[in-house]
Short mmCIF file of all heavy atoms in Angstrom, two decimals:
data_model
loop_
_atom_site.label_atom_id
_atom_site.label_comp_id
_atom_site.label_asym_id
_atom_site.label_seq_id
_atom_site.Cartn_x
_atom_site.Cartn_y
_atom_site.Cartn_z
N LYS A 30 29.22 44.00 -3.22
CA LYS A 30 29.43 44.63 -4.52
C LYS A 30 28.15 45.32 -5.00
O LYS A 30 28.18 46.43 -5.52
CB LYS A 30 29.89 43.58 -5.53
CG LYS A 30 30.67 44.17 -6.68
CD LYS A 30 31.49 43.14 -7.41
CE LYS A 30 32.77 42.79 -6.67
NZ LYS A 30 33.62 41.83 -7.40
N ILE A 61 34.86 48.62 -9.86
CA ILE A 61 34.72 47.35 -10.58
C ILE A 61 34.82 47.63 -12.07
O ILE A 61 34.84 48.79 -12.48
CB ILE A 61 33.36 46.67 -10.27
CG1 ILE A 61 32.22 47.61 -10.68
CG2 ILE A 61 33.25 46.29 -8.81
CD1 ILE A 61 30.86 46.99 -10.50
N ALA A 62 34.86 46.57 -12.86
CA ALA A 62 34.92 46.77 -14.30
C ALA A 62 33.52 47.03 -14.84
O ALA A 62 32.52 46.61 -14.26
CB ALA A 62 35.50 45.54 -14.96
N GLY A 64 32.04 45.80 -17.34
CA GLY A 64 31.35 44.56 -17.67
C GLY A 64 30.69 43.91 -16.47
O GLY A 64 29.64 43.27 -16.58
N THR A 65 31.30 44.09 -15.32
CA THR A 65 30.76 43.47 -14.11
C THR A 65 29.35 43.96 -13.81
O THR A 65 28.51 43.20 -13.29
CB THR A 65 31.68 43.76 -12.91
OG1 THR A 65 33.00 43.39 -13.27
CG2 THR A 65 31.24 42.98 -11.68
N LEU A 68 26.77 41.72 -14.95
CA LEU A 68 26.52 40.44 -14.27
C LEU A 68 25.41 40.64 -13.25
O LEU A 68 24.68 39.71 -12.92
CB LEU A 68 27.78 39.98 -13.57
CG LEU A 68 28.99 39.75 -14.48
CD1 LEU A 68 30.21 39.37 -13.65
CD2 LEU A 68 28.69 38.69 -15.52
N TYR A 69 25.27 41.84 -12.77
CA TYR A 69 24.28 42.12 -11.74
C TYR A 69 22.98 42.66 -12.32
O TYR A 69 21.92 42.44 -11.74
CB TYR A 69 24.86 43.11 -10.74
CG TYR A 69 25.97 42.52 -9.92
CD1 TYR A 69 27.27 42.49 -10.39
CD2 TYR A 69 25.69 41.93 -8.69
CE1 TYR A 69 28.28 41.93 -9.65
CE2 TYR A 69 26.70 41.36 -7.94
CZ TYR A 69 28.00 41.35 -8.43
OH TYR A 69 28.99 40.77 -7.69
P DT D 27 28.96 33.14 -8.80
OP1 DT D 27 28.53 33.45 -7.43
OP2 DT D 27 27.99 33.04 -9.93
"O5'" DT D 27 30.09 34.18 -9.20
"C5'" DT D 27 31.26 34.26 -8.40
"C4'" DT D 27 32.25 35.20 -9.02
"O4'" DT D 27 32.82 34.59 -10.21
"C3'" DT D 27 31.68 36.54 -9.47
"O3'" DT D 27 32.35 37.53 -8.71
"C2'" DT D 27 31.99 36.61 -10.97
"C1'" DT D 27 33.13 35.62 -11.11
N1 DT D 27 33.32 34.97 -12.43
C2 DT D 27 34.55 35.08 -13.05
O2 DT D 27 35.49 35.70 -12.57
N3 DT D 27 34.65 34.43 -14.25
C4 DT D 27 33.66 33.69 -14.89
O4 DT D 27 33.87 33.15 -15.97
C5 DT D 27 32.41 33.60 -14.17
C7 DT D 27 31.28 32.83 -14.77
C6 DT D 27 32.29 34.24 -13.00
P DA D 28 32.20 39.05 -8.99
OP1 DA D 28 32.57 39.80 -7.77
OP2 DA D 28 30.89 39.25 -9.65
"O5'" DA D 28 33.34 39.31 -10.06
"C5'" DA D 28 34.69 39.23 -9.63
"C4'" DA D 28 35.59 39.70 -10.76
"O4'" DA D 28 35.44 38.80 -11.87
"C3'" DA D 28 35.24 41.10 -11.28
"O3'" DA D 28 36.43 41.87 -11.17
"C2'" DA D 28 34.79 40.86 -12.72
"C1'" DA D 28 35.47 39.55 -13.07
N9 DA D 28 34.80 38.71 -14.08
C8 DA D 28 33.53 38.23 -14.05
N7 DA D 28 33.20 37.48 -15.09
C5 DA D 28 34.37 37.48 -15.85
C6 DA D 28 34.69 36.88 -17.09
N6 DA D 28 33.84 36.12 -17.80
N1 DA D 28 35.93 37.09 -17.57
C2 DA D 28 36.78 37.84 -16.88
N3 DA D 28 36.60 38.45 -15.71
C4 DA D 28 35.36 38.24 -15.25
P DT D 29 36.47 43.38 -11.65
OP1 DT D 29 37.41 44.08 -10.79
OP2 DT D 29 35.10 43.86 -11.81
"O5'" DT D 29 37.13 43.22 -13.08
"C5'" DT D 29 38.43 42.63 -13.18
"C4'" DT D 29 38.84 42.60 -14.64
"O4'" DT D 29 37.98 41.67 -15.34
"C3'" DT D 29 38.68 43.94 -15.35
"O3'" DT D 29 39.95 44.44 -15.69
"C2'" DT D 29 37.82 43.63 -16.58
"C1'" DT D 29 37.85 42.12 -16.67
N1 DT D 29 36.60 41.50 -17.19
C2 DT D 29 36.66 40.82 -18.38
O2 DT D 29 37.66 40.71 -19.05
N3 DT D 29 35.45 40.27 -18.77
C4 DT D 29 34.25 40.33 -18.11
O4 DT D 29 33.24 39.79 -18.56
C5 DT D 29 34.27 41.07 -16.86
C7 DT D 29 33.02 41.20 -16.06
C6 DT D 29 35.43 41.61 -16.47
P DG D 30 40.19 46.00 -15.73
OP1 DG D 30 41.57 46.25 -15.27
OP2 DG D 30 39.06 46.70 -15.11
"O5'" DG D 30 40.13 46.26 -17.30
"C5'" DG D 30 40.86 45.43 -18.19
"C4'" DG D 30 40.35 45.64 -19.60
"O4'" DG D 30 39.12 44.89 -19.76
"C3'" DG D 30 39.98 47.10 -19.94
"O3'" DG D 30 40.22 47.29 -21.33
"C2'" DG D 30 38.49 47.13 -19.68
"C1'" DG D 30 38.12 45.77 -20.24
N9 DG D 30 36.82 45.25 -19.82
C8 DG D 30 36.05 45.64 -18.76
N7 DG D 30 34.93 44.98 -18.65
C5 DG D 30 34.98 44.07 -19.70
C6 DG D 30 34.06 43.07 -20.09
O6 DG D 30 33.00 42.77 -19.57
N1 DG D 30 34.51 42.37 -21.21
C2 DG D 30 35.70 42.61 -21.87
N2 DG D 30 35.96 41.84 -22.92
N3 DG D 30 36.56 43.53 -21.51
C4 DG D 30 36.15 44.22 -20.43
P DA D 31 41.35 48.24 -21.84
OP1 DA D 31 42.55 47.97 -21.05
OP2 DA D 31 40.76 49.59 -21.89
"O5'" DA D 31 41.57 47.74 -23.33
"C5'" DA D 31 42.06 46.41 -23.57
"C4'" DA D 31 41.29 45.79 -24.72
"O4'" DA D 31 39.93 45.48 -24.31
"C3'" DA D 31 41.16 46.72 -25.94
"O3'" DA D 31 41.32 45.90 -27.10
"C2'" DA D 31 39.75 47.30 -25.80
"C1'" DA D 31 39.00 46.14 -25.15
N9 DA D 31 37.85 46.50 -24.30
C8 DA D 31 37.77 47.52 -23.39
N7 DA D 31 36.61 47.57 -22.75
C5 DA D 31 35.90 46.50 -23.27
C6 DA D 31 34.59 46.01 -23.00
N6 DA D 31 33.75 46.55 -22.09
N1 DA D 31 34.18 44.93 -23.70
C2 DA D 31 35.02 44.38 -24.60
N3 DA D 31 36.26 44.76 -24.93
C4 DA D 31 36.65 45.83 -24.22
P DA D 32 40.89 46.35 -28.60
OP1 DA D 32 41.78 45.65 -29.54
OP2 DA D 32 40.78 47.82 -28.60
"O5'" DA D 32 39.43 45.74 -28.77
"C5'" DA D 32 39.26 44.34 -28.99
"C4'" DA D 32 37.86 44.10 -29.49
"O4'" DA D 32 36.91 44.57 -28.51
"C3'" DA D 32 37.52 44.83 -30.79
"O3'" DA D 32 36.75 43.94 -31.60
"C2'" DA D 32 36.73 46.06 -30.31
"C1'" DA D 32 36.00 45.49 -29.10
N9 DA D 32 35.65 46.48 -28.07
C8 DA D 32 36.43 47.52 -27.60
N7 DA D 32 35.84 48.23 -26.65
C5 DA D 32 34.61 47.61 -26.48
C6 DA D 32 33.52 47.88 -25.61
N6 DA D 32 33.50 48.87 -24.73
N1 DA D 32 32.45 47.07 -25.70
C2 DA D 32 32.47 46.06 -26.59
N3 DA D 32 33.43 45.71 -27.45
C4 DA D 32 34.48 46.53 -27.34
P DT D 37 18.77 57.56 -27.62
OP1 DT D 37 18.42 57.79 -26.22
OP2 DT D 37 17.76 57.26 -28.65
"O5'" DT D 37 19.65 58.79 -28.11
"C5'" DT D 37 20.81 59.13 -27.36
"C4'" DT D 37 21.57 60.19 -28.11
"O4'" DT D 37 22.30 59.62 -29.23
"C3'" DT D 37 20.71 61.31 -28.69
"O3'" DT D 37 21.39 62.50 -28.41
"C2'" DT D 37 20.72 61.01 -30.18
"C1'" DT D 37 22.14 60.49 -30.31
N1 DT D 37 22.49 59.74 -31.55
C2 DT D 37 23.75 59.91 -32.05
O2 DT D 37 24.59 60.62 -31.52
N3 DT D 37 24.02 59.19 -33.19
C4 DT D 37 23.15 58.35 -33.86
O4 DT D 37 23.51 57.76 -34.87
C5 DT D 37 21.83 58.22 -33.27
C7 DT D 37 20.82 57.33 -33.91
C6 DT D 37 21.57 58.92 -32.16
#
Side-chain angles (χ1 to χ4, degrees):
Chain A
K30 204 161 281 182
I61 59 176
T65 308
L68 300 176
Y69 292 84

